[in-house]
Amino acid sequence: MEHAVEQAVRIIRERYAEPLSLDAIACAVLVSKFHLLRVFRQVTGVTPGRFLSAVRISEAKRLLQNSDLAVAVISSMVGYDSTGSFTSRFTESVGIPPTQYRQLSRGEGEFTVRSSAEGQVDLTHCQLRGVVRAVAKPVSSIYIGSFDGPILQGHPSSWTTAEHLGPFVLQQVPRGICYLHATMLAAREQSLETMLLTATLGPMCIDPYVDSEVELVLCPQVWSNPPVLFAAPGFEMLAEQAPQPGFKRLSSGFK
């Protein structure tokens, strides 16, 4: 089961610019599309379509930061037929439009995260306490927030930044179902490189009448993790140094 999903993820990461369909991916990994849809969601937490969309936007972020290509050109390069559709999806996923992201990633301009609950006083909202730990020493701030899905994208419903590992508090977390995400950069042992660490809890049911306390353990991303799309202030220039997870277990003959 996992091998088929790993092959599917590799196809998505290598052929994201193509008009990939679930049928095409399933055919390439020699399983039925219904079986692939079920096991892919079990392993990665999302559907192949959502994983493909995340990879496309992640690649667009890289191109915006490292090239001077026009947004329309990048849109086409990552598999979009319409620049307008690309810009809308990028803005929805990253939190800011492509042109603003390019400026932010190069240290130009400012970006402030605004949660959907900011400025509200609602008795049905909750205070969520927890502890964040990590397998390596942080070299950036630690970003923690509640989001509506398993991919770290879009606008958080509640958001905080921690400078140290340990206890944290999220204020005004809306009641209902959410996903708790955390991310930071850490130092690699005996190396000047950094690595991206993430943690996800969810789906979680937030109840204003029940005290909640959680533990987040930040670990390096692996092949089954969707890319981090949300643009955190002060994070993007550093995050580009963190390499993407590899696929060492796949045979060299896979095409």
Side-chain angles (χ1 to χ4, degrees), residues 69-252:
L69 294 170
V71 171
V73 174
I74 292 175
S75 168
S76 178
M77 289 177 65
V78 300
Y80 283 84
D81 295 328
S82 164
T83 304
S85 296
F86 163 73
T87 300
S88 296
R89 178 59 63 88
F90 187 98
T91 304
E92 178 184 353
S93 300
V94 180
I96 51 177
T99 51
Q100 186 180 353
Y101 176 80
R102 171 171 273 164
Q103 294 173 340
L104 178 72
S105 68
R106 298 179 180 185
E108 305 167 4
E110 296 182 355
F111 170 50
T112 302
V113 178
R114 297 188 183 280
S115 70
S116 59
E118 187 170 324
Q120 300 179 15
V121 178
D122 191 333
L123 296 179
T124 65
H125 283 47
C126 315
Q127 183 184 82
L128 183 63
R129 295 181 176 274
V131 175
V132 60
R133 311 186 193 281
V135 299
K137 182 179 179 181
V139 296
S140 74
S141 298
I142 306 156
Y143 301 92
I144 308 167
S146 59
F147 292 77
D148 63 3
I151 298 177
L152 182 43
Q153 65 177 9
H155 294 281
S157 56
S158 182
W159 179 254
T160 190
T161 302
E163 298 304 321
H164 305 283
L165 297 170
F168 69 88
V169 178
L170 273 182
Q171 303 286 354
Q172 294 284 19
V173 182
R175 69 182 303 174
I177 304 299
C178 76
Y179 289 78
L180 192 63
H181 290 281
T183 186
M184 74 173 198
L185 291 176
R188 291 183 178 274
E189 291 186 6
Q190 301 178 343
S191 171
L192 297 178
E193 294 182 345
T194 60
M195 57 182 174
L196 182 66
L197 271 57
T198 60
T200 300
L201 287 178
M204 299 174 54
C205 183
I206 304 299
D207 187 334
Y209 306 108
V210 177
D211 290 335
S212 298
E213 186 165 338
V214 299
E215 181 180 39
L216 289 167
V217 181
L218 289 149
C219 299
Q221 285 207 304
V222 296
W223 63 266
S224 59
N225 294 137
V228 173
L229 303 183
F230 177 72
F235 190 71
E236 295 303 312
M237 293 182 69
L238 293 171
E240 183 61 26
Q241 302 172 22
Q244 292 291 328
F247 299 84
K248 294 182 180 179
R249 284 182 291 167
L250 281 179
S251 65
S252 58

